Amino acid sequence: MKDDVLRLFTETFASEATVYSQAPGRLEILGNHTDYNEGYVLSTAVDCYTFIALKPVTGNTCRVISPGIAETVRDFSVNEIGETAIDKDWLNYLKGTLRELQKRGHKLPAFEAAILSTVPLSAGMSSSASLEIALIQSFYQLLELPVDISEMARIGQGCENNYIGANTGLMDQFSSLAGQKDSFVLSEYRHLNVQTVPVPQNISLVVFNSGVKHDLSKEYNERRSQCEESVEILKQFYPDIQSLRDINLEQLAAQEANFPEEVYKRALHVVGENTRVHQALDCFKEKDVEGFAQLLFESHESSINNFENSCSELDFLVDIAHSSNLCYGARLSGGGFGGISIHLVESRRAENYQSFVQKTFKNRYGFTPDSFICQSAQGAFAETI
Ligand code: GLA
């Protein structure tokens, strides 16, 4: 794809790109809605990417081609980006990212760019974060800024929060930046620590798209405020806590009577997810794939009963996993309310399992769900051509 995006650049702009970057999509493995609660996430960068070939130009006009999204070259002025998106245009992800760079004092040149992507759009694999991170990588290379994963992730998040209006955490950007081949990313969101842990051997992740579009804004923000509300309640009993990450399951259970039922369930999901991330690390040490997979099922149960961010299509996909001896474990991945489920399978059985699930799902819902067999992949990078 590197050659393809460089060729697209040359054909479109009749000159050579000077910077190349790529950034992968991501899958959340465990740790659902924990990132904005200063908690823990196990995720992975996957082998589908946004690729950018770029060259700075004189003047103010940026020109961008991205055939997967729009057939024609689009342009905008680098000096007239504004502070928030006024429509649903995909260029907003570029503009919002540029705006965040500008807000940090970086003087940005206008540019021409060609963009290709193999990250499925609107499928819960963070195509938007991979676009943001690929652009940030290009500009860090161009401006010769030292790579700083936390800062780069915050720039991408700033685009989502400030420009797009999606109040998301840092996990998508972190995973795209910090991924490594054959590894999961273990991240922590108070001090922004990140490390990698080796993926159990001979394991693939099979992704199925429920086909239910997840517009995260409303429910996501609602869940976020319920988590904040639960911290306020818990502070009355544990004054030293700052977030749900400071609470364990026993401490939470001890205060159940002081909670509105729904708010308690939200907190239970988040605290349970933090616990499951740590239990997963123990499973990896013991090479206990089955135990790890069980945690995925538990996570999904908690999404159904506590966080209420699943839907019947996702539940059906996870039920298939339960009843099939080809799959170790499965759960919804990402924000939820639609989007994707991930299924942990032995690599040599991945294709069989994939077609079995697609057929079974089609019998019930009348269409074949998009599906991808994913491997953990290297995180984002840029290079000068
Ligand atoms: C979305 C957000 C992430 C994270 C997940 C839920 O993917 O972008 O920041 O909160 O939902 O874990």
Side-chain angles (χ1 to χ4, degrees):
M1 285 304 262
K2 178 178 175 186
D3 291 347
D4 293 335
V5 79
L6 293 175
R7 193 174 327 111
L8 174 66
F9 184 96
T10 308
E11 283 168 10
T12 310
F13 302 113
S15 65
E16 306 287 325
T18 57
V19 178
Y20 166 79
S21 64
Q22 64 176 61
R26 67 96 186 92
L27 292 174
E28 174 198 286
I29 309 291
L30 266 180
N32 190 239
H33 289 261
T34 50
D35 60 350
Y36 56 82
N37 288 301
E38 299 190 329
Y40 301 88
V41 180
L42 203 55
S43 62
T44 184
V46 284
D47 47 349
C48 51
Y49 308 84
T50 298
F51 306 89
I52 299 186
L54 181 144
K55 181 178 134 179
V57 295
T58 52
N60 293 325
T61 308
C62 304
R63 301 173 70 224
V64 183
I65 180 93
S66 183
I69 310 179
E71 289 312 313
T72 52
V73 173
R74 301 284 310 278
D75 59 52
F76 60 92
S77 166
V78 74
N79 295 324
E80 291 163 31
I81 288 174
E83 296 302 326
T84 54
I86 48 170
D87 51 29
K88 291 246 177 241
D89 194 347
W90 66 274
L91 276 186
N92 290 332
Y93 290 97
L94 300 183
K95 291 182 183 173
T97 302
L98 297 170
R99 188 70 201 114
E100 288 298 314
L101 285 161
Q102 289 172 335
K103 286 204 288 203
R104 286 161 172 79
H106 303 304
K107 185 148 176 28
L108 306 184
F111 60 90
E112 291 168 338
I115 303 176
L116 290 175
S117 181
T118 54
V119 188
L121 297 182
S122 304
M125 292 169 75
S126 285
S127 54
S128 59
S130 84
L131 177 58
E132 292 149 15
I133 296 299
L135 189 66
I136 294 164
Q137 283 283 2
S138 274
F139 271 93
Y140 264 61
Q141 184 76 8
L142 202 62
L143 304 176
E144 297 181 359
L145 301 172
V147 169
D148 173 344
I149 286 189
S150 302
E151 179 61 2
M152 293 162 102
R154 280 202 195 93
I155 294 170
Q157 183 195 30
C159 166
E160 298 282 349
N161 294 177
N162 304 326
Y163 205 81
I164 304 294
N167 209 8
T168 49
L170 275 165
M171 184 262 293
D172 306 339
Q173 291 78 9
F174 245 66
S175 313
S176 180
L177 281 157
Q180 279 189 15
K181 203 171 172 323
D182 300 327
S183 299
F184 289 154
V185 177
L186 171 66
S187 43
E188 173 281 331
Y189 290 89
R190 173 167 296 158
H191 307 290
L192 299 185
N193 286 317
V194 60
Q195 52 182 292
T196 51
V197 283
V199 174
Q201 278 186 344
N202 306 321
I203 286 297
S204 293
L205 288 162
V206 189
V207 173
F208 297 95
N209 190 345
S210 67
V212 180
K213 288 260 177 282
H214 63 308
D215 171 14
L216 277 187
S217 39
K218 184 168 165 285
E219 276 93 353
Y220 190 95
N221 292 343
E222 204 174 275
R223 295 298 186 279
R224 252 190 110 133
S225 8
Q226 289 176 316
C227 291
E228 283 157 21
E229 194 183 333
S230 68
V231 175
E232 289 314 308
I233 296 171
L234 287 162
K235 271 187 176 163
Q236 300 168 33
F237 309 97
Y238 310 109
D240 293 341
I241 69 159
Q242 290 172 39
S243 67
L244 285 176
R245 111 92 171 269
D246 300 316
I247 288 288
N248 62 35
L249 286 167
E250 291 72 34
Q251 289 170 312
L252 180 64
Q255 304 309 333
E256 181 171 0
N258 298 303
F259 273 84
E261 189 188 342
E262 200 173 82
V263 178
Y264 181 76
K265 289 198 296 181
R266 306 306 186 237
L268 182 57
H269 180 67
V270 173
V271 177
E273 285 294 284
N274 280 329
T275 310
R276 282 185 278 277
V277 169
H278 287 102
Q279 288 171 336
L281 299 179
D282 293 338
C283 291
F284 294 154
K285 273 188 214 131
E286 307 285 318
K287 301 205 180 319
D288 178 8
V289 176
E290 309 256 340
F292 169 53
Q294 201 49 42
L295 297 169
L296 302 187
F297 281 135
E298 284 173 24
S299 167
H300 191 78
E301 276 302 303
S302 177
S303 272
I304 296 176
N305 299 323
N306 297 327
F307 216 64
E308 296 177 273
N309 63 335
S310 187
C311 63
S312 55
E313 289 82 350
L314 286 171
D315 297 344
F316 186 69
L317 287 162
V318 174
D319 281 347
I320 302 174
H322 263 298
S323 58
S324 162
N325 58 9
L326 295 176
C327 179
Y328 289 115
R331 67 185 279 273
L332 70 78
S333 170
F337 311 104
I340 54 169
S341 60
I342 54 164
H343 299 236
L344 191 75
V345 294
E346 223 182 311
S347 298
R348 66 193 173 96
R349 297 173 149 195
E351 282 180 19
N352 274 353
Y353 180 69
Q354 183 181 46
S355 47
F356 169 69
V357 174
Q358 284 182 313
K359 264 191 226 125
T360 314
F361 188 94
K362 187 173 180 207
N363 284 342
R364 168 78 175 263
Y365 288 100
F367 71 96
T368 305
D370 285 339
S371 172
F372 315 90
I373 298 175
C374 297
Q375 305 296 339
S376 295
Q378 189 195 347
F381 66 89
E383 57 197 33
T384 301
I385 310 285

